[in-house]
Amino acid sequence: MGGDINQELLIEAKKNEDGDVKFKEKLWTESKTLWIVAGPAIFTKFSTFGVTIISQAFVGHIGPTELAAFSLCCTVLFRFGNGVLIGMASALETLCGQAFGAKRYHMLGIYLQRSWLLLFLTTSCLLPLFIFTTKILIALGQDEKIAIVAGYIGHWFIFIMFSMIISFTCQIFLQSRSKNMVIAYLAAFSIGTHICLSWLLTMKLKYGLIGALLSTILAYWIPNIGQLIFVTCGGCKDTWKGFSMLAFKDLWPVVKLSLSSGAMLCLELWYNTTLVLLTGNLKNAEIAIDAFAIW
């Protein structure tokens, strides 16, 4: 009887051991699969966010007023518009996932073009925020000296806002095709170029605010141009069949999905905007906004 008991225990232990090995193998396989997708996506988000941080760092060497004005544009105007565009673009992720799962691959390209059209119209509606930046900020109680410089910067930010149309939509489109490495390579090239250009134009050639803004615009547009070339020139043959008039049809369902999916994202992003606006109403607004921007 004792031998039988020992034999059964050994068999059970072997089963547990095999189970542990299988679990570890499954965990390792799933982790590798996850990081193949998540790794490039994390790096891309980090690089995109890093462009603004690098710009702020170089603008901070120009002067405290310029840094405060740039921070206001980034965290108030740009974040406000960014929240709207991210929310509107997030609908494309749902639509691309459904189309790919249903094996209607050609519809991914149609949905991409519909998102371009929808985000272009949305960005056009947001233009007054950047055209009348100075008047808006003064009306919100911000320091007049900072608001004037912010108005100048706001005009440059129009180019950045239009770059977001391509950036958000093409990234979602390529991620749905598991082309994450393409996005990551372009993001790495963009942020590397941005660091070099910012130093050259701002510190070396002494172009000041113009140099920093020019480098920022190029940093946002470089990956967009690369993504557009990849998508339209054969990188996604199954899902991109060229420009189509179908992009102008059935827009209302896309609009409804975009509005509903974007509401929560907008509220989350605008929270920080409110804090910066409150900071701008303090006595020494220049130092307060600078400190908040660095934080």
Side-chain angles (χ1 to χ4, degrees), residues 4 25 48 79 83 85 100 106 116 125 131 158 180 191 199 209 216 218 238 241 250 265 276:
D4 292 337
E25 289 177 353
T48 304
R79 188 175 291 270
L85 294 182
F100 197 85
H106 70 285
W116 283 345
C125 294
I131 296 173
I158 292 174
N180 294 43
I191 197 169
W199 174 82
L209 194 56
T216 304
L218 289 174
D238 295 336
K241 302 297 182 181
D250 298 325
L265 285 171
V276 176

Side-chain angles (χ1 to χ4, degrees), residues 6-293:
N6 288 333
Q7 188 176 5
E8 289 178 5
L9 287 173
L10 289 172
I11 292 172
E12 189 65 30
K14 188 175 181 181
K15 286 181 180 179
N16 289 336
E17 186 179 350
D18 291 339
D20 290 341
V21 171
K22 289 180 181 178
F23 174 74
K24 291 177 181 178
E25 289 177 353
K26 289 179 181 179
L27 181 62
W28 175 245
T29 303
E30 289 296 328
S31 297
K32 287 194 297 183
T33 306
L34 176 66
W35 279 102
I36 288 172
V37 178
I42 291 171
F43 178 78
T44 301
K45 294 295 183 184
F46 171 80
S47 300
T48 304
F49 182 72
V51 168
T52 305
I53 299 301
I54 291 166
S55 299
Q56 281 185 331
F58 281 99
V59 171
H61 288 281
I62 300 170
T65 303
E66 287 79 4
L67 178 58
F70 188 84
S71 301
L72 271 177
C73 286
C74 285
T75 54
V76 178
L77 299 178
F78 183 60
R79 188 175 291 270
F80 179 87
N82 219 15
V84 175
L85 294 182
I86 290 177
M88 300 295 280
S90 62
L92 180 62
E93 189 169 7
T94 302
L95 294 171
C96 283
Q98 291 175 347
F100 197 85
K103 297 184 178 180
R104 300 181 64 192
Y105 301 127
H106 70 285
M107 286 303 298
L108 270 75
I110 303 299
Y111 288 141
L112 177 62
Q113 294 171 58
R114 288 176 182 173
S115 290
W116 283 345
L117 180 61
L118 182 60
L119 264 66
F120 179 82
L121 295 174
T122 304
T123 305
S124 300
C125 294
L126 293 172
L127 284 182
L129 291 175
F130 299 89
I131 296 173
F132 304 107
T133 299
T134 300
K135 294 181 179 179
I136 292 171
L137 291 177
I138 291 175
L140 292 172
Q142 305 301 303
D143 183 82
E144 185 175 353
K145 183 173 64 173
I146 298 174
I148 291 172
V149 180
Y152 173 76
I153 296 173
H155 294 159
W156 286 78
F157 266 56
I158 292 174
F159 299 100
I160 299 177
M161 286 302 300
F162 277 103
S163 75
M164 295 294 103
I165 299 173
I166 306 298
S167 178
F168 294 147
T169 53
C170 281
Q171 284 185 23
I172 291 173
F173 177 82
L174 290 171
Q175 284 173 358
S176 68
R177 293 293 322 279
S178 298
K179 305 290 186 180
N180 294 43
M181 291 306 299
V182 175
I183 307 172
Y185 288 142
L186 290 170
F189 178 73
S190 174
I191 197 169
T193 304
H194 182 45
I195 294 171
C196 296
L197 272 179
S198 295
W199 174 82
L200 177 65
L201 297 176
T202 307
M203 309 298 293
K204 189 71 174 178
L205 299 179
K206 303 297 182 182
Y207 284 140
L209 194 56
I210 294 177
L213 291 170
L214 182 60
S215 178
T216 304
I217 291 171
L218 289 174
Y220 277 109
W221 273 103
I222 285 172
N224 291 345
I225 293 171
Q227 290 170 18
L228 279 174
I229 292 173
F230 184 83
V231 170
T232 58
C233 295
C236 302
K237 294 180 180 179
D238 295 336
T239 51
W240 178 264
K241 302 297 182 181
F243 294 97
S244 172
M245 292 301 295
L246 290 174
F248 295 91
K249 296 182 179 180
D250 298 325
L251 281 175
W252 180 239
V254 182
V255 173
K256 289 193 295 183
L257 181 60
S258 298
L259 291 173
S260 60
S261 61
M264 184 175 66
L265 285 171
C266 288
L267 293 173
E268 181 181 343
L269 289 171
W270 292 347
Y271 170 73
N272 199 31
T273 300
T274 306
L275 293 178
V276 176
L277 285 174
L278 292 173
T279 305
N281 284 276
L282 298 176
K283 290 182 179 180
N284 200 338
E286 193 174 272
I287 296 176
I289 295 174
D290 289 349
F292 196 86

